[in-house]
Amino acid sequence: MLKTEEIESRTYQEVIAASSRDQNTLVVLPTGLGKTIIAVMVASQKLRDGKTLFLAPTKPLVQQHEREFKKFLEIDDEQLQVMTGDTRPDKREKLWQEKQAFFATPQIVENDLISGKIPVEEFSLVIFDEAHRATGDYAYNFISEKMH
């Protein structure tokens, strides 16, 4: 699924992606060293097993991640879905059922987990961008618990 002609991967990214395929992993790298590329590499493998969810704390970051997945993955754009406060609640349950890869803000995911709209068992990967935010009552903690 990777558009290899678009990706200039580095050995360390490939090693991290390979080791992240089958276990929970926290990737800590300075800005600009390709954490998103690592996420794309892992997602390209995990999409074979189920749906993926890429969480980011802001709408602009969510949209940026979706653009990068479009750029680096051979996947039908119709299978990608941005889920932010702009996505109407009455439409989200159907989207969670129909689409394959999601890019969402944590508040939307938390709300939809609480209301039972997300088919948790169909997900093979959850990516938490800006994972350092996972403290206290931040939605990442709840999501991690429910999606595990």
Side-chain angles (χ1 to χ4, degrees), residues 68-137:
E68 291 184 7
F69 268 59
K70 284 180 180 179
K71 179 179 178 181
F72 297 124
L73 280 183
E74 292 286 348
I75 187 169
D76 181 358
D77 287 356
E78 292 295 315
Q79 289 303 312
L80 305 176
Q81 182 64 48
V82 168
M83 302 286 256
T84 65
D86 293 342
T87 313
R88 291 182 31 196
D90 60 321
K91 302 282 185 193
R92 293 199 306 254
E93 185 168 12
K94 185 176 181 184
L95 293 169
W96 288 117
Q97 297 293 327
E98 294 177 348
K99 305 295 181 170
Q100 193 66 20
F102 298 88
F103 307 86
T105 52
Q107 295 78 15
I108 294 299
V109 175
E110 181 179 45
N111 290 340
D112 287 355
L113 283 168
I114 290 169
S115 65
K117 292 179 182 173
I118 299 176
V120 173
E121 67 284 349
E122 294 180 19
F123 282 80
S124 61
L125 177 67
V126 180
I127 300 162
F128 295 85
D129 189 28
E130 305 279 334
H132 63 276
R133 295 175 180 261
T135 62
D137 290 334

Side-chain angles (χ1 to χ4, degrees), residues 1 4 11 41 85 90-91 122 129 142:
M1 292 183 79
T4 54
T11 302
M41 290 174 171
D90 60 321
K91 302 282 185 193
E122 294 180 19
D129 189 28
F142 178 81

Side-chain angles (χ1 to χ4, degrees), residues 32-85:
L33 290 184
K35 292 181 291 292
T36 302
I37 294 298
I38 294 167
V40 169
M41 290 174 171
V42 175
S44 74
Q45 297 289 314
K46 298 301 276 185
L47 278 164
R48 296 179 188 149
D49 302 330
K51 299 175 185 282
T52 65
L53 172 59
F54 199 125
L55 293 159
T58 66
K59 180 180 169 182
L61 269 175
V62 166
Q63 293 168 330
Q64 175 184 327
H65 293 310
E66 185 216 19
R67 282 191 305 273
E68 291 184 7
F69 268 59
K70 284 180 180 179
K71 179 179 178 181
F72 297 124
L73 280 183
E74 292 286 348
I75 187 169
D76 181 358
D77 287 356
E78 292 295 315
Q79 289 303 312
L80 305 176
Q81 182 64 48
V82 168
M83 302 286 256
T84 65

